[in-house]
């Protein structure tokens, strides 16, 4: 018995020791990992500081090797070019905002979502009516006619009509099925198998509408986000512009109460242009020009005109705003392509469910082929319109031509 107790105590002690050892090991490992992570962060911070210090030393060394004439010419050139960048970037933002919702392209897709007769060759309203009549859900002819009349009233309901895009069709289908089941509950002779057949037939169509609804909802959300991003960029650009422009002597009026941000930018860019900047810089030079007009005291100019130096030394932020726009622009094209593919998926669902109908002399397959072709053509047309109005290469080349260089 004593041996058994001793053995049990020994096992318990070993387990306790093992557990404590494991806890100690885990704790030690966590401490080591924490210290390694801390050291890594410190190394990264040190590396970043060293890079900044190195850049500062390079700037100082480079500044010392430049003559006052070279420094001033850099400032002059940069400020004139920055005025051009402001104009290009402002116009590009406005153009992209106006192109985000292209009525021709968007309107064509909206026709696909209609419950009335559209590009797919059928009217979903008529499909519901004909299907209900063909299935003869109720044994009594009068009840069937009453059911069809209820569906007609439901079709014309303003509530159903207010629902946007494909949801209108889905909601109409759901309401029609619900009416059938509700009526069947009060009719003992109702054949519920026929109601299920009615529901199944409508589902062939709602499968298409649901896929299209998903595409439209995603596009609506992404388009809204794109506009929000562009307007946020505009506000940041306006803040940057006002700070820079005021230091060059440009003091514009404030935005009017009924004036859009786009219209206000158009006004600003018309008044603030490269010629205005050249004239202002010329006026500054005159302040430091000798009476005989032969010599400009550029050393004194550079030391006294801190505002223009400040504008030059902070043009990297203008560059970052340009990069933001390029990112929004490229992302929008990707989102548009994804939307186009989602719409094609919905059309292929319609084809797979065999709901596309012949139109005139065109077979269902021809209707499908023409639909894909038209959709592709309109997508290319919209993309071409954006690319023709927004020259991304011009924006990139112009901001790259600005010498992002700080004059110390």
């Amino acid at each position: 018995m004593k041996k058994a107790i001793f053995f049990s105590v020994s096992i318990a002690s070993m387990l306790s020791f093992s557990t404590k050892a494991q806890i100690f090991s885990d704790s030690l490992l966590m401490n080591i990992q924490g210290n390694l992570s801390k050291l890594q962060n410190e190394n990264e911070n040190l590396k970043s500081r060293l890079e900044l210090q190195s850049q500062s030393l390079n700037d100082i060394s480079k500044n010392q090797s430049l003559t006052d004439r070279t420094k001033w010419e850099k400032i002059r050139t940069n400020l004139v070019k920055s005025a051009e960048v402001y104009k290009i970037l402002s116009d590009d933002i406005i153009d992209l905002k106006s192109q985000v919702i292209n009525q021709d392209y968007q309107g064509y897709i909206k026709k696909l979502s209609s419950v009335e007769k559209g590009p797919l060759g059928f009217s979903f309203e008529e499909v519901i009516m004909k299907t209900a009549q063909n299935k003869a859900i109720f044994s009594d002819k009068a009840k069937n006619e009453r059911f069809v009349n209820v569906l007609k009233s439901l079709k014309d309901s303003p509530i159903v009509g207010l629902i946007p895009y494909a949801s209108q069709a889905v909601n109409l289908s759901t309401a029609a099925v619900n009416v059938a089941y509700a009526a069947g509950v009060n009719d003992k002779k109702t054949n519920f198998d026929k109601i299920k057949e009615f529901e199944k037939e409508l589902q062939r169509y709602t499968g298409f509408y649901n896929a299209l609804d998903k595409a439209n909802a995603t596009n609506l959300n992404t388009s809204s986000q794109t506009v929000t991003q562009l307007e946020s960029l505009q506000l940041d650009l306006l803040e940057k512009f006002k700070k820079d422009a005021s230091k060059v002597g440009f003091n514009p009026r404030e935005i009017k109460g009924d004036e859009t941000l786009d219209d206000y930018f158009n006004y600003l860019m018309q008044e603030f242009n490269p010629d205005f900047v050249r004239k202002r810089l010329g006026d500054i030079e005159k302040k430091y020009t000798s009476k005989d007009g032969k010599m400009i005291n550029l050393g004194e100019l550079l030391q006294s005109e801190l505002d223009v130096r400040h504008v030059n030394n902070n043009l990297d932020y203008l560059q970052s705003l340009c990069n933001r726009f390029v990112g929004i622009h490229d992302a929008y094209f990707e989102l548009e392509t994804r939307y186009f593919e989602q719409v094609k998926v919905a059309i292929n669902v319609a084809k797979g469910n065999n709901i596309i109908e012949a139109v005139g002399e065109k077979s269902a397959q021809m209707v499908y082929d023409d639909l894909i072709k038209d959709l592709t053509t309109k997508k290319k047309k919209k993309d071409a319109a954006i690319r023709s109005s927004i020259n991304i290469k011009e924006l990139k080349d112009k901001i790259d031509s600005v010498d992002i260089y700080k004059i110390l």
Side-chain angles (χ1 to χ4, degrees), residues 178-194:
N178 287 341
V179 169
Y181 276 112
V185 170
N186 298 319
D187 188 346
K188 295 180 180 180
K189 296 181 181 181
T190 298
N191 187 336
F192 282 97
D193 286 339
K194 288 187 176 181

Side-chain angles (χ1 to χ4, degrees), residues 105-245:
Y105 180 63
Q106 198 69 30
Y108 185 72
I109 295 175
K110 193 170 183 179
K111 287 180 182 178
L112 292 172
S113 310
S114 175
V115 296
E116 299 175 354
K117 191 165 185 177
L120 292 176
F122 65 83
S123 163
F124 190 52
E125 296 173 333
E126 294 177 3
V127 167
I128 294 175
M129 296 299 115
K130 288 179 180 179
T131 305
Q133 290 171 337
N134 293 338
K135 296 300 177 183
I137 295 170
F138 304 102
S139 57
D140 185 273
K141 183 179 179 181
K143 289 182 179 179
N144 268 311
E145 290 178 351
R146 189 157 56 249
F147 173 61
V148 171
N149 287 332
V150 170
L151 294 184
K152 288 180 180 178
S153 299
L154 186 64
K155 172 181 73 71
D156 297 328
S157 169
I159 296 177
V160 173
L162 287 173
I163 300 173
Y165 299 120
S167 297
Q168 182 181 3
V170 174
N171 190 71
L172 184 60
S173 174
T174 303
V177 172
N178 287 341
V179 169
Y181 276 112
V185 170
N186 298 319
D187 188 346
K188 295 180 180 180
K189 296 181 181 181
T190 298
N191 187 336
F192 282 97
D193 286 339
K194 288 187 176 181
I195 296 180
K196 289 180 180 179
E197 289 176 6
F198 173 65
E199 182 178 14
K200 188 175 181 180
E201 177 65 15
L202 296 188
Q203 283 175 346
R204 291 202 301 128
Y205 293 83
T206 55
F208 156 71
Y209 283 114
N210 276 321
L212 191 58
D213 193 22
K214 181 180 178 181
N216 285 331
T218 301
N219 179 65
L220 186 66
N221 183 52
T222 53
S223 294
S224 177
Q225 287 180 354
T226 300
V227 172
T228 299
Q229 290 174 337
L230 289 170
E231 289 178 344
S232 175
L233 177 58
Q234 266 187 312
L235 291 174
D236 289 343
L237 181 64
L238 180 61
E239 182 181 8
K240 169 66 174 169
F241 170 78
K242 283 193 170 183
K243 287 179 180 178
D244 284 359

Side-chain angles (χ1 to χ4, degrees), residues 189-334:
K189 296 181 181 181
T190 298
N191 187 336
F192 282 97
D193 286 339
K194 288 187 176 181
I195 296 180
K196 289 180 180 179
E197 289 176 6
F198 173 65
E199 182 178 14
K200 188 175 181 180
E201 177 65 15
L202 296 188
Q203 283 175 346
R204 291 202 301 128
Y205 293 83
T206 55
F208 156 71
Y209 283 114
N210 276 321
L212 191 58
D213 193 22
K214 181 180 178 181
N216 285 331
T218 301
N219 179 65
L220 186 66
N221 183 52
T222 53
S223 294
S224 177
Q225 287 180 354
T226 300
V227 172
T228 299
Q229 290 174 337
L230 289 170
E231 289 178 344
S232 175
L233 177 58
Q234 266 187 312
L235 291 174
D236 289 343
L237 181 64
L238 180 61
E239 182 181 8
K240 169 66 174 169
F241 170 78
K242 283 193 170 183
K243 287 179 180 178
D244 284 359
S246 64
K247 292 182 183 300
V248 188
F250 179 70
N251 298 298
R253 62 168 173 79
E254 293 299 318
I255 188 171
K256 298 177 182 177
D258 59 344
E259 192 173 22
T260 66
L261 197 55
D262 291 353
D263 289 339
Y264 186 53
F265 259 106
N266 286 333
Y267 151 73
L268 292 174
M269 296 304 106
Q270 184 176 4
E271 299 295 321
F272 185 87
N273 52 52
D275 288 339
F276 174 87
V277 175
R278 289 189 190 95
K279 184 178 184 308
R280 290 297 303 167
L281 295 176
D283 292 340
I284 290 174
E285 285 183 354
K286 289 178 182 178
K287 291 164 57 178
Y288 302 93
T289 302
S290 59
K291 292 182 179 180
D292 59 10
K294 294 182 178 180
M295 191 170 137
I296 303 174
N297 190 338
L298 293 176
E300 184 181 356
L301 185 156
L302 291 169
Q303 291 300 315
S304 301
E305 299 297 333
L306 300 180
D307 281 347
V308 290
R309 273 176 54 188
H310 177 84
V311 173
N312 176 83
N313 291 350
N314 289 277
L315 288 175
D316 51 347
Y317 183 62
L318 178 59
Q319 184 183 52
S320 72
L321 293 178
C322 291
N323 291 335
R324 264 175 67 186
F325 175 78
V326 172
I328 295 171
H329 171 274
D330 293 347
Y332 178 68
F333 271 99
E334 292 178 7

